[in-house]
Amino acid sequence: MNADMKIFVWGTGYAAQELLETELNDVNIIAFIDNNRQGKYGTHAIYKPEEAVKKEYDAVIVVTAYAQDIYQQALRLKFDMSKFIFVYNNYHFSDMNKNYMLAEKIFSPEYIKVIQNRYHVIRGMMKDEVCTETPP
């Protein structure tokens, strides 16, 4: 994992907290992005998307069930979409991540498998595990 990268986390809910305690505990999170929340998330600032797009960043990790809406909003605001990693994508069964090279700099190989496997399982589970079986 690359601790020198400047990373935004888009979302401040339960899933973001889970990732902070596991996969993101050794990365350089510069701030959070949220449409509905302001102030601070722990010790980190929370930016509105319109503010965040003006900042310097290496990656934006989207940790919300509303990934499709975030994708459309980020396009409208002219974020660099090549720097986005979508951890969840409820309501969609296709992987929004087209290139996992950026994700490999941040997440463990095991967690990348979890992200990839989410598009092959039923939505709504609180905690995902690496799927090793092929669905029937």
Side-chain angles (χ1 to χ4, degrees):
M1 291 181 225
N2 191 334
D4 296 329
M5 295 178 72
K6 296 176 184 173
I7 298 174
F8 281 132
V9 175
W10 195 319
T12 57
Y14 175 79
Q17 183 62 42
E18 286 284 312
L19 273 181
L20 285 176
E21 295 171 2
T22 56
E23 288 290 318
L24 299 179
N25 63 351
D26 289 331
V27 300
N28 182 25
I29 297 171
I30 56 173
F32 285 79
I33 302 172
D34 200 290
N35 282 298
N36 303 314
R37 202 166 163 186
Q38 296 177 338
K40 293 217 174 240
Y41 188 77
T43 60
H44 298 92
I46 301 173
Y47 294 131
K48 294 287 185 195
E50 295 81 5
E51 297 172 277
V53 71
K54 300 172 188 172
K55 307 286 184 186
E56 185 179 332
Y57 60 93
D58 296 308
V60 177
I61 301 171
V62 179
V63 188
T64 172
Y66 301 101
Q68 188 65 33
D69 295 333
I70 299 302
Y71 181 87
Q72 294 301 321
Q73 182 181 19
L75 280 175
R76 279 193 310 276
L77 293 172
K78 303 207 183 317
F79 273 90
D80 182 348
M81 299 309 291
S82 70
K83 295 182 178 183
F84 272 61
I85 301 167
F86 294 90
V87 175
Y88 297 100
N89 187 17
N90 288 3
Y91 318 119
H92 238 269
F93 288 105
S94 61
D95 192 344
M96 292 176 69
N97 299 298
K98 304 302 179 207
N99 183 343
Y100 277 90
M101 287 174 38
L102 179 60
E104 290 169 357
K105 295 178 181 179
I106 300 168
F107 295 110
S108 68
E110 293 81 15
Y111 194 72
I112 290 173
K113 287 179 188 173
V114 168
I115 294 170
Q116 291 171 326
N117 285 332
R118 284 190 175 124
Y119 299 99
H120 303 287
V121 296
I122 296 173
R123 300 272 161 273
M125 296 182 182
M126 291 300 290
K127 220 168 186 145
D128 293 310
E129 296 181 24
V130 176
C131 179
T132 56
E133 297 180 17
T134 305

